[in-house]
Amino acid sequence: MTDIQLIASDMDHTLLEEDGSVPTGLFDRIRALREHGVEFAAVSGRSIATLQGLFAPVRKAVTLVGDNGAVIERGSRRVYTNALPTATQQHLVVHAQRQRAGVPILSGVDAGTSMRGIGATLPSWVTFSTPCAWCPTLNSSSRM
């Protein structure tokens, strides 16, 4: 077997416990991997801020890949960000609103943004996007 240099893991229903908590001993294992020259990367659709909170005890020893790969941080340094152009965001929001099958949420680097009033319909949203910002509409002039 060749030397392993990186272990990357999805979060929900893979690395995390069923209740969303970090498994006991994980941070010790991450530190031990680091001592042996193996990097650990947590990969998730969750926001980068949510991952920062989950991995705070080992923040400088991990790579975080959040927002479905749109933001990557190695240690406490942001090394990659890929945001959709505003026009594309607006097109997708309008499309989602027309479908009436869900609630549009813009996942930004600093916060997830959605329209006021969805908290009752999406209580689990705060699990995946922290912090959350609320605005009257999701057009470019009203977002926080």
Side-chain angles (χ1 to χ4, degrees), residues 11 14 28 69 78 80 89 108 131 133:
M11 302 291 295
T14 304
D28 291 334
R78 185 154 300 150
Y80 178 78
Q89 293 175 24

Side-chain angles (χ1 to χ4, degrees), residues 8-23 26-27 30 40-47 50-55 62-67 127-128:
S9 178
D10 180 47
M11 302 291 295
D12 296 296
H13 305 290
T14 304
L15 179 68
L16 297 179
E17 300 289 353
E18 286 303 310
D19 66 359
S21 64
V22 174
L26 177 65
F27 297 144
I30 289 171
F40 178 81
V43 182
S44 182
R46 292 176 181 232
S47 72
T50 302
L51 294 178
Q52 290 167 346
L54 279 171
F55 288 91
V62 297
T63 295
L64 302 176
V65 180
D67 301 288
T127 301
F128 301 98

Side-chain angles (χ1 to χ4, degrees), residues 50-86:
T50 302
L51 294 178
Q52 290 167 346
L54 279 171
F55 288 91
V58 289
R59 182 76 178 86
K60 293 183 180 181
V62 297
T63 295
L64 302 176
V65 180
D67 301 288
N68 291 314
V71 183
I72 301 173
E73 292 184 352
R74 188 168 189 211
S76 44
R77 193 175 120 246
R78 185 154 300 150
V79 296
Y80 178 78
T81 303
N82 184 9
L84 291 175
T86 301

Side-chain angles (χ1 to χ4, degrees), residues 7 12 26 36 45 49 56 73 76 88 92 94 141:
I7 295 175
D12 296 296
L26 177 65
H36 288 90
E73 292 184 352
S76 44
T88 302
L92 292 171
V94 169
S141 63

